[in-house]
């Protein structure tokens, strides 16, 4: 079969692609899908039929084939596993998934679609968080989290095996990545899935509240707690988000960009520029004239300079060294904030 070829999407529009995941009653059957264009602008005041997938790509060199419009399309092993679990035996599923719905080789399209991502996840009927295949008693971990949430109290403080399975689950890569933040920050409903096991996003947050003291009591888990707590904070708000928005005003507006950089500084990105771009949708700042909108032709060094001046002041001076993780910022900004700000970006 020939490789899939994308047809172009109009730039400067609200058009996206959605994936039709075709059904099969044979779990071992190859994955067959179709891509279709969809207008977010025309759908701003009604319910939407698609779910959006939040996941970690995994090793981009380890791929497996699926078939899109009867053409071969390679995806990472983690995404392949997710699609297998999401495929229904009788009905097609409509999903938005970045690796397939965005032409990753078209830089202009990628930048334009990234600007729409907050809106894409906002309009989705449900954001499905895929943590990966079942492993290390992950099914038991999710079941225990569900029990803890229903009782609103942790009851396994001394059961070492269960504690370890929950901790191992929370150490999965998804909880450390920065792009997932805006994906759950935009969601109106969140479902967390690992293998065949699932838990509602709000139930997950209740369980995390109950487990807080257990994490605080163990020094080696405090960094993990910070990462999970920030995600739990965003997921919790899903049930309160409105179903309709006025186009052009969709943004969670959690807090200014500088505070977001500090709040989520421990989260990781393969591409350093994404540590900025992934936070824009959650910023309460007006980003339209910020010179920070996704543009991968801008070097990280230039982007870092723009970010510092936007967050702190245009009057500060910024000096960087390409070969060292060092940035010198001179000005009247709060010294402690500057130190935390620099730590958020390990300068490549």
């Amino acid at each position: 079969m020939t490789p899939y070829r994308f047809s172009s999407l109009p730039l400067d529009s609200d058009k996206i692609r959605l994936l039709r995941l075709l059904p099969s009653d044979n779990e071992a059957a190859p994955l067959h899908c179709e891509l279709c264009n969809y207008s977010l602008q025309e759908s701003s005041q009604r319910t939407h039929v698609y779910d959006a997938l939040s996941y970690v790509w995994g090793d981009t060199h380890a791929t497996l084939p699926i078939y899109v419009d009867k053409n071969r399309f390679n995806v990472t092993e983690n995404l392949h596993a997710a699609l297998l679990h999401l495929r229904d035996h009788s009905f097609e599923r409509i999903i938005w998934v970045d690796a397939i719905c965005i032409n990753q080789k078209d830089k202009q399209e990628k930048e334009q679609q990234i600007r729409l991502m907050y809106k894409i996840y906002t309009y989705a009927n449900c954001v499905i968080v895929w943590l990966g295949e079942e492993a290390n008693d992950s099914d038991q971990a999710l079941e225990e989290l569900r029990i803890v949430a229903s009782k609103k109290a942790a009851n396994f403080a001394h059961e070492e095996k269960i504690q370890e399975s929950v901790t191992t689950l929370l150490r999965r890569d998804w909880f450390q990545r920065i792009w997932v933040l805006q994906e759950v920050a935009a969601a109106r409903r969140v479902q967390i899935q690992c293998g065949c096991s699932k838990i509602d996003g709000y139930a997950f947050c209740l369980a995390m509240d109950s487990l807080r003291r257990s994490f605080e009591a163990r020094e080696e888990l405090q960094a993990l707690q910070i990462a999970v707590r920030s995600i739990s904070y965003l997921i919790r708000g899903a049930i309160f988000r409105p179903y309709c928005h006025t186009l052009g005003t969709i943004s969670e507006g959690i807090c200014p960009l500088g505070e977001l950089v500090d709040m989520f500084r421990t989260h990781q990105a393969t591409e350093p520029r994404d540590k900025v771009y992934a936070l824009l949708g959650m910023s309460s700042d007006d980003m339209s004239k910020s010179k920070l909108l996704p543009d991968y032709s801008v070097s990280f060094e230039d982007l870092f300079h723009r970010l510092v001046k936007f967050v702190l002041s245009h009057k500060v001076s910024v000096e960087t060294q390409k070969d060292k993780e060092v940035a010198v910022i001179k000005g009247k900004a709060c010294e402690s904030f500057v130190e935390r700000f620099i730590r958020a970006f390990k300068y490549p």
Side-chain angles (χ1 to χ4, degrees), residues 127-142:
V127 172
I128 300 170
V129 172
W130 171 254
L131 298 181
E133 289 278 31
E134 180 182 324
N136 304 117
D137 298 316
S138 57
D139 54 340
Q140 184 182 23
L142 283 182

Side-chain angles (χ1 to χ4, degrees), residues 249-269:
T249 62
I250 292 181
S251 177
E252 182 66 7
I254 294 172
C255 58
L257 182 59
E259 293 182 30
L260 290 171
V261 169
D262 181 32
M263 189 184 306
F264 301 122
R265 63 182 181 273
T266 62
H267 289 266
Q268 303 165 3

Side-chain angles (χ1 to χ4, degrees), residues 260-303:
L260 290 171
V261 169
D262 181 32
M263 189 184 306
F264 301 122
R265 63 182 181 273
T266 62
H267 289 266
Q268 303 165 3
T270 304
E271 161 58 65
R273 289 168 290 191
D274 287 341
K275 294 203 76 172
V276 179
Y277 297 151
L279 299 176
L280 299 182
M282 298 184 288
S283 173
S284 58
D285 296 318
D286 179 6
M287 307 307 301
S288 60
K289 298 179 181 179
S290 65
K291 296 183 179 180
L292 294 174
L293 294 179
D295 181 352
Y296 289 95
S297 66
V298 176
S299 69
F300 179 79
E301 183 179 10
D302 288 343
L303 181 63

Side-chain angles (χ1 to χ4, degrees), residues 139-158:
D139 54 340
Q140 184 182 23
L142 283 182
E143 182 58 29
E144 290 298 328
L145 290 177
R146 187 180 296 105
I147 293 170
V148 169
S150 64
K151 294 182 177 180
K152 297 184 179 179
N155 62 350
F156 55 83
H158 302 293

Side-chain angles (χ1 to χ4, degrees), residues 85-86 93 128-129 139 142-143 146 191-201:
H85 281 277
L86 293 174
R93 293 194 67 167
I128 300 170
V129 172
D139 54 340
L142 283 182
E143 182 58 29
R146 187 180 296 105
Q191 175 183 286
I192 298 172
Q193 183 167 347
C194 186
C196 295
S197 301
K198 306 172 186 177
I199 187 172
D200 178 78

Side-chain angles (χ1 to χ4, degrees), residues 139-297:
D139 54 340
Q140 184 182 23
L142 283 182
E143 182 58 29
E144 290 298 328
L145 290 177
R146 187 180 296 105
I147 293 170
V148 169
S150 64
K151 294 182 177 180
K152 297 184 179 179
N155 62 350
F156 55 83
H158 302 293
E159 297 183 34
E160 187 174 338
K161 184 178 178 182
I162 296 175
Q163 251 192 348
E164 188 59 35
S165 67
V166 171
T167 303
T168 301
L169 180 75
L170 298 178
R171 285 200 174 106
R172 293 202 177 205
D173 289 345
W174 185 87
F175 291 100
Q176 307 300 323
R177 308 304 290 178
I178 199 161
W179 270 116
V180 307
L181 297 171
Q182 84 161 350
E183 295 166 3
V184 294
R188 292 177 286 107
R189 179 180 165 229
V190 176
Q191 175 183 286
I192 298 172
Q193 183 167 347
C194 186
C196 295
S197 301
K198 306 172 186 177
I199 187 172
D200 178 78
Y202 194 74
F204 174 84
C205 294
L206 292 177
M208 290 301 99
D209 287 346
S210 297
L211 293 173
R212 187 185 309 165
R213 288 185 181 178
S214 298
F215 283 116
E216 290 173 348
R218 296 174 59 182
E219 186 175 349
E220 72 274 16
L221 296 181
Q222 289 180 5
L224 177 64
Q225 182 201 16
I226 292 171
V228 174
R229 184 173 59 194
S230 63
I231 289 177
S232 181
Y233 165 76
L234 297 173
I235 293 175
R236 183 188 300 277
I239 62 173
F240 303 109
R241 295 180 189 123
Y243 272 69
C244 293
H245 296 264
T246 302
L247 272 175
T249 62
I250 292 181
S251 177
E252 182 66 7
I254 294 172
C255 58
L257 182 59
E259 293 182 30
L260 290 171
V261 169
D262 181 32
M263 189 184 306
F264 301 122
R265 63 182 181 273
T266 62
H267 289 266
Q268 303 165 3
T270 304
E271 161 58 65
R273 289 168 290 191
D274 287 341
K275 294 203 76 172
V276 179
Y277 297 151
L279 299 176
L280 299 182
M282 298 184 288
S283 173
S284 58
D285 296 318
D286 179 6
M287 307 307 301
S288 60
K289 298 179 181 179
S290 65
K291 296 183 179 180
L292 294 174
L293 294 179
D295 181 352
Y296 289 95
S297 66

Side-chain angles (χ1 to χ4, degrees), residues 313-333:
S313 169
H314 283 283
K315 296 180 180 179
V316 302
S317 65
V318 187
E319 298 175 11
T320 56
Q321 299 180 36
K322 286 187 176 181
D323 298 330
K324 297 181 180 180
E325 293 180 358
V326 174
V328 179
I329 302 174
K330 297 179 181 179
K332 295 183 179 180

